[in-house]
C-alpha cells in the first residue's frame, strides 16, 4: 500500500499549497511525490504478493498497471506548467484532484471485491466531474462537467444495481467466490441480468458505443490537460478494472457475455471511426479516436491466454504515450490560436517543427503504422483475438484503415501548408521540447524493440 499512501499524502500537500497562495508549487510537489511512488513500486519489498482482508490484492498485474499509470501521470504533470498557466488561481486544486483520481485507479488495479470496485470507481470519477468544469467562464466546460456528472450517476446506478443482483444470486461480493458460483450456476437468470448491467456500467467508463455519448462533449469541453488525463490514465484504470471483473468473476459464463461485447465492439469501431472522419475540430476528432481505441481494446476479451494482461498493458501504454504526444501539440496550438480546428494547425511545422513531428508520429502510432508502438500493440492484440474472433479482427483492421484518413487530415494541415500561420514570438518551452523528444524516442523504440517495455515495467 506504500504507493497509494505516498500519492494520497502528496495530493493532500499539493492541495494545501493553495492555502498559502503557492498554487504553482503543487505541480512540483506532485512530480516529487509521483517520482517517490514510482521508485517505491520497484523496491524489492513491493514485489511480494499482498492481500488485504480479501478486499484488495497487490499482484504482478496490479503492480504493472500501477507503474504505467504513475509514468503517464508524471508526464501529464510535466505538461501542466504551460497547459495550466491560465488557471493560476486554482492550480493546486487541479493537481490535487488528479492525484486523488490516480488513487482511485490504484484501487481499481487491485480490487478483489465488488464493494472495492465501486469505491475505486467513485474515487476515480468524482474528481473528474470537478476537473471537467475547471474553465468556469467557458459554457462548454460547464456543460462537460454537468453532462459527465449526470451520465456518470446513471452509470453508477447500473453498476450498483448489477452488483446487487450478482450478490443476490451468488451471496458474496468476493470476485473468486463469484467466479466459482458462476462456473457452477451459469444459467442463473439473476446472475445474467447482473452481469449485463455491470457490463453496461463498465462500458460507460471505457466509452464503448452506445455508452460513449458523453465522451465527445466532455473531452472537447474540459481543459485540454484534463482531457489528456481522461484519455490516458482514466482509460487505463477503467479498462483494466473491466478486464479484471470479466476474467475473474464472470469467466465461468464467458459464452453468455462474449457475444454482447462482440456487438458493442463492432458498433464502436464502425461508428467512432466514421464520426472521426466527419469532424472539423481536432480535439473532437481525438475524442472519437479515443472511443475507437476502446473498441480495439475490447478485442482483449477474445482468444484470452496468460499473456493477455501484458498485451493489454502494452496497448494501453502505447496509446497513452501517443495520446500525450498529440495532446501536447494541441495544447500549444490552443493556447496560441484560442481554437482547435484543423485550420488552427496550418503551417505548424514551419514555426515549431519538433512539436509538429511529435504530433504526427503520435497519430501514426495511434493509426497502427509500422515501426511505431501502436503498430506492435495492435499486432499483439489482433494476433491474440484472431483465433477466437477473426471477423472482429477484420472489422478492427477496417477501422484502423479509416482512422488513417482523419489523422492524415491533421498531419497535412501541419506539414503541407506553404506558410506558417503562427504569427507569435512565443516559443515552445524547454520542458515541452524535452517531452517531445522523449515521446518520439519511446514510440519508435517500442515499435522496433517491444520487449523493452517488459524489461522496464515487468519485474
Amino acid at each position: 500500500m506504500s504507493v497509494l499512501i505516498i500519492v494520497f499524502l502528496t495530493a493532500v500537500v499539493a492541495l494545501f499549497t493553495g492555502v498559502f497562495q503557492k498554487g504553482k508549487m503543487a505541480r512540483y510537489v506532485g512530480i516529487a511525490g509521483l517520482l517517490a511512488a514510482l521508485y517505491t513500486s520497484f523496491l524489492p519489498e513491493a514485489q511480494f504478493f499482498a492481500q488485504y482482508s480479501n478486499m484488495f490484492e497487490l499482484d504482478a498485474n496490479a503492480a504493472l498497471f500501477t507503474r504505467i499509470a504513475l509514468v503517464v501521470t508524471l508526464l501529464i504533470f510535466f505538461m501542466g506548467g504551460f497547459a495550466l498557466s491560465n488557471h493560476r488561481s486554482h492550480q493546486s486544486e487541479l493537481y490535487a484532484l488528479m492525484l486523488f483520481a490516480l488513487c482511485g485507479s490504484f484501487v481499481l488495479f487491485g480490487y478483489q471485491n465488488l464493494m472495492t470496485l465501486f469505491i475505486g470507481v467513485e474515487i476515480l470519477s468524482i474528481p473528474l466531474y470537478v476537473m471537467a468544469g475547471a474553465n468556469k467562464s467557458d459554457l462548454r466546460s460547464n456543460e462537460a462537467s454537468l453532462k459527465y456528472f449526470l451520465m456518470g450517476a446513471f452509470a453508477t446506478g447500473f453498476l450498483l444495481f448489477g452488483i446487487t443482483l450478482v450478490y443476490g444470486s451468488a451471496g458474496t461480493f468476493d470476485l473468486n467466490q463469484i467466479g466459482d458460483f458462476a462456473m457452477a450456476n451459469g444459467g442463473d437468470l439473476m446472475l445474467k441480468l447482473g452481469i449485463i448491467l455491470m457490463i453496461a456500467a463498465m462500458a460507460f467508463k471505457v466509452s464503448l458505443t452506445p455508452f460513449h455519448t458523453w465522451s465527445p462533449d466532455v473531452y472537447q469541453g474540459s481543459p485540454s490537460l484534463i482531457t489528456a488525463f481522461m484519455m490516458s490514465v482514466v482509460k487505463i484504470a477503467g479498462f483494466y478494472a473491466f478486464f479484471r471483473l470479466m476474467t475473474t468473476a464472470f469467466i465461468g459464463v464467458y459464452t453468455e457475455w462474449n457475444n454482447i461485447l462482440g456487438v458493442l465492439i463492432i458498433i464502436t469501431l464502425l461508428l467512432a471511426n466514421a464520426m472521426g472522419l466527419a469532424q472539423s475540430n481536432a480535439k473532437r476528432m481525438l475524442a472519437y479516436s479515443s472511443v475507437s481505441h476502446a473498441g480495439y481494446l475490447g478485442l482483449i476479451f477474445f482468444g484470452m491466454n496468460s499473456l493477455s494482461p501484458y498485451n493489454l498493458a502494452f496497448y494501453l501504454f502505447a496509446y497513452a504515450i501517443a495520446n500525450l504526444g498529440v495532446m501536447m501539440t494541441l495544447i500549444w496550438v490552443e493556447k496560441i490560436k484560442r481554437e482547435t480546428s484543423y485550420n488552427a494547425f496550418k503551417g505548424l511545422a514551419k514555426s515549431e517543427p519538433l512539436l509538429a513531428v511529435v504530433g504526427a508520429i503520435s497519430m501514426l502510432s495511434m493509426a497502427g503504422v509500422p515501426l511505431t508502438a501502436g503498430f506492435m500493440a495492435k499486432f499483439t492484440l489482433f494476433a491474440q483475438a484472431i483465433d477466437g474472433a477473426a471477423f472482429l479482427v477484420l472489422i478492427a483492421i477496417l477501422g484502423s484503415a479509416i482512422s488513417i484518413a482523419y489523422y492524415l487530415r491533421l498531419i497535412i494541415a501541419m506539414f503541407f501548408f506553404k506558410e506558417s500561420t503562427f504569427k507569435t514570438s512565443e516559443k515552445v518551452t524547454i520542458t515541452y521540447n524535452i517531452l517531445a523528444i522523449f515521446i518520439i524516442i519511446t514510440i519508435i523504440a517500442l515499435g522496433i524493440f517491444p520487449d523493452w517495455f517488459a524489461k522496464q515495467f515487468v519485474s
Side-chain angles (χ1 to χ4, degrees), residues 336-349:
I336 301 299
K337 293 289 192 69
R338 306 295 179 186
E339 62 167 329
T340 55
S341 66
Y342 287 130
N343 290 334
F345 289 79
K346 285 184 175 179
L348 178 62

Side-chain angles (χ1 to χ4, degrees), residues 239 243 247 251 254 257 265 296-315 375-393:
F239 230 100
F243 179 78
T247 57
I251 193 64
Y254 175 77
W257 54 261
I265 290 168
Y296 302 127
L297 284 161
L299 294 175
I300 196 69
F301 294 106
F302 298 87
M304 288 183 288
N305 53 53
S306 59
L307 289 177
S308 292
Y310 173 82
N311 294 339
L312 178 62
F314 185 80
Y315 192 107
F375 170 77
M376 290 306 303
K378 285 186 177 180
F379 178 80
T380 55
L381 212 57
F382 293 177
Q384 172 193 307
I386 198 164
D387 290 334
F391 179 69
L392 288 180
V393 173

Side-chain angles (χ1 to χ4, degrees), residues 152-168:
F154 278 108
T156 299
F158 284 136
L159 180 63
L160 281 175
F161 197 8
I163 290 173
T164 302
L165 292 176
V166 171
Y167 176 77

